[in-house]
Amino acid sequence: VFTFAGSDIGGSSNVASLDISFSAAGDDGSGVGGPAAPVCHFLYIPNMHMVYMDGPDGLYNWLGSSIVGTGGLNLTNADPNSHWPANCTVHLGSPNVPNPIKFEPKVLSLTLDIEFVASLSPKKHMYVVVQNANYPSQASNGGNWKYWGWWATP
Amino acid sequence: MVMKRFLLALIWVISCRAQQLQTNTPLSFSRAITGSISGDDGAPIVGAYVSLHLLTTHPNARLRHTERSAAAGTGGMFSFDGLMDGTYRLCADSPNGIWLNPCEWGLQAPVVSVSAAQPTGNINVVLKKGVAVPVRIEDPALLLTKNEGKTPGAHLLLGIGTDASVFRIAQIVSQDSAGRDHQIVVPFNSSVKLVVYSSFFQLSDGNGIPFPRKSIGIPILISPGQQVPIIKLKVTGGGQQ
């Protein structure tokens, strides 16, 4: 279970999206080189409470979407048009996550039950971009992926 | 016995902390970066949102602010002070969205370094002009209005991938009784794709040809001086597959 957070000076309700990618590629210290295929990439849209699952190429080939929480689906990044096999499933209605979305005054937190399969490297580098709902929209880290660190499965 | 163990542990913690304090490099927060933002037509971009990102990794960087932001003032001028040594990347979003953020497009974002030898840096950032591509969503049955935010899973996702491989959502700019208008800013002479996806709504193109229920990429390539076409889509149905 992973928790991702995005903040905006205009308040957590002004967060328009959380873009999240787990990548085998990437320098452990700086994150340079990632995210790059194969990835486990998905997009969360807070005002719709929805997650969109991308293919393992990470090129916005949205494969499916689901609400987060009760009634949520299991989204797997299996793309028949990619030469990369599926590497993750996000369980959006998981009983392991009773309260997946938390709105604090400035910070929005999203907690997801994510299952990885062995086709993605044991070490996964985590990247996030947050966009706000201003017009025109602004994105965190100057519109670049922000490296959060890595996580490894035994 | 328990008390003795506790005291030993406490002494060990204090000893480690003292060693850490001795080995940490003192930080200086006396550096400054100033500059200006203008368009490639030479005009200053007043109100541009300028952000500064520390690129170099400092042993204590996790404890400090590595990102700063400011609004460009008169003449497009901006300044940051209280910075620590390092190399910084500058990114900029314009208030009308027409000027392209060099950190998202072209990937040649300006960088500037400050240090004890060079405590201040000055940089003039020139943004390239982009083009706003309108996207019209015809919705004669008002399916978007009736379902988005009301029916679970009902949403239409529109956006493009930037050169930084980040998905930027095409924002809604207006709505009326027959549909709504989105807009996305893209570079001139650059092939991009407008990505359209919904697992709930059935869509067709402007000629009424239905889209399959999967992610669609509509190619966009705009040359300078070219009349910008309106990308037209139509909502023809709704409901989960």
Side-chain angles (χ1 to χ4, degrees):
Chain A
V1 173
F2 294 84
T3 296
F4 310 95
S7 66
D8 189 78
I9 197 166
S12 58
S13 61
N14 202 41
V15 174
S17 69
L18 275 175
D19 211 346
I20 297 154
S21 191
F22 289 85
S23 163
D27 178 79
D28 291 352
S30 65
V32 170
V39 292
C40 172
H41 173 220
F42 47 90
L43 177 74
Y44 172 59
I45 306 290
N47 69 343
M48 297 291 159
H49 299 297
M50 285 184 70
V51 164
Y52 287 81
M53 176 61 86
D54 192 3
D57 294 328
L59 297 174
Y60 337 110
N61 184 26
W62 305 112
L63 302 168
S65 62
S66 168
I67 56 167
V68 181
T70 305
L73 305 175
N74 297 330
L75 297 179
T76 299
N77 65 347
D79 181 359
N81 296 316
S82 171
H83 72 275
W84 298 106
N87 58 51
C88 71
T89 299
V90 182
H91 301 278
L92 292 160
S94 173
N96 297 330
V97 187
N99 299 300
I101 302 159
K102 186 177 170 188
F103 285 92
E104 293 173 271
K106 300 285 185 188
V107 180
L108 166 65
S109 301
L110 170 70
T111 302
L112 294 177
D113 184 346
I114 304 170
E115 180 183 0
F116 292 99
V117 297
S119 61
L120 194 63
S121 161
K123 191 177 279 183
K124 292 119 179 101
H125 301 86
M126 297 179 281
Y127 301 82
V128 175
V129 176
V130 183
Q131 287 177 58
N132 69 16
N134 293 355
Y135 186 82
S137 172
Q138 290 146 351
S140 61
N141 199 29
N144 285 237
W145 289 101
K146 180 77 174 177
Y147 178 54
W148 273 16
W150 55 267
W151 179 80
T153 44
Chain B
M1 185 65 183
V2 172
M3 190 62 184
K4 189 177 176 185
R5 278 187 186 165
F6 172 76
L7 285 173
L8 282 172
L10 190 65
I11 290 164
W12 182 78
V13 168
I14 291 169
S15 163
C16 288
R17 181 66 186 142
Q19 203 170 23
Q20 193 181 9
L21 288 172
Q22 283 168 9
T23 53
N24 280 350
T25 310
L27 292 174
S28 170
F29 293 92
S30 56
R31 315 300 179 218
I33 293 174
T34 59
S36 66
I37 299 279
S38 61
D40 59 7
D41 61 358
I45 304 176
V46 179
Y49 175 83
V50 186
S51 57
L52 196 61
H53 307 267
L54 180 64
L55 295 178
T56 44
T57 306
H58 190 282
N60 281 349
R62 286 182 185 278
L63 305 175
R64 312 291 173 189
H65 286 296
T66 57
E67 295 186 32
R68 301 273 297 272
S69 61
T74 307
M77 307 296 286
F78 63 85
S79 67
F80 296 94
D81 55 19
L83 303 172
M84 59 180 174
D85 291 355
T87 300
Y88 292 84
R89 180 184 67 206
L90 270 96
C91 306
D93 289 298
S94 67
N96 63 10
I98 290 298
W99 300 101
L100 299 170
N101 181 347
C103 296
E104 294 189 79
W105 298 104
L107 302 183
Q108 292 178 328
V111 294
V112 59
S113 296
V114 286
S115 62
Q118 189 174 339
T120 60
N122 186 272
I123 189 163
N124 298 316
V125 181
V126 178
L127 304 186
K128 287 185 179 176
K129 196 168 198 173
V131 54
V133 178
V135 182
R136 172 68 183 172
I137 310 291
E138 294 290 348
D139 182 23
L142 300 177
L143 294 171
L144 292 171
T145 310
K146 288 175 184 171
N147 290 286
E148 272 193 338
K150 297 163 188 153
T151 306
H155 183 233
L156 173 60
L157 183 65
L158 299 175
I160 55 169
T162 66
D163 290 345
S165 299
V166 167
F167 190 75
R168 287 293 237 149
I169 294 166
Q171 292 184 276
I172 298 171
V173 291
S174 64
Q175 289 184 285
D176 55 54
S177 59
R180 70 189 189 199
D181 298 291
H182 294 250
Q183 183 173 279
I184 195 92
V185 176
V186 301
F188 285 107
N189 293 328
S190 182
S191 292
V192 295
K193 282 185 178 176
L194 175 74
V195 178
V196 182
Y197 178 76
S198 177
S199 60
F200 186 91
F201 296 108
Q202 179 67 53
L203 300 164
S204 70
D205 68 10
N207 297 318
I209 298 170
F211 286 149
R213 282 270 182 104
K214 63 176 190 176
S215 199
I216 301 294
I218 299 172
I220 299 172
L221 177 61
I222 311 289
S223 304
Q226 176 190 341
Q227 186 172 3
V228 181
I230 301 173
I231 296 174
K232 291 182 179 173
L233 307 172
K234 188 174 181 180
V235 180
T236 58
Q240 297 286 2
Q241 281 179 293

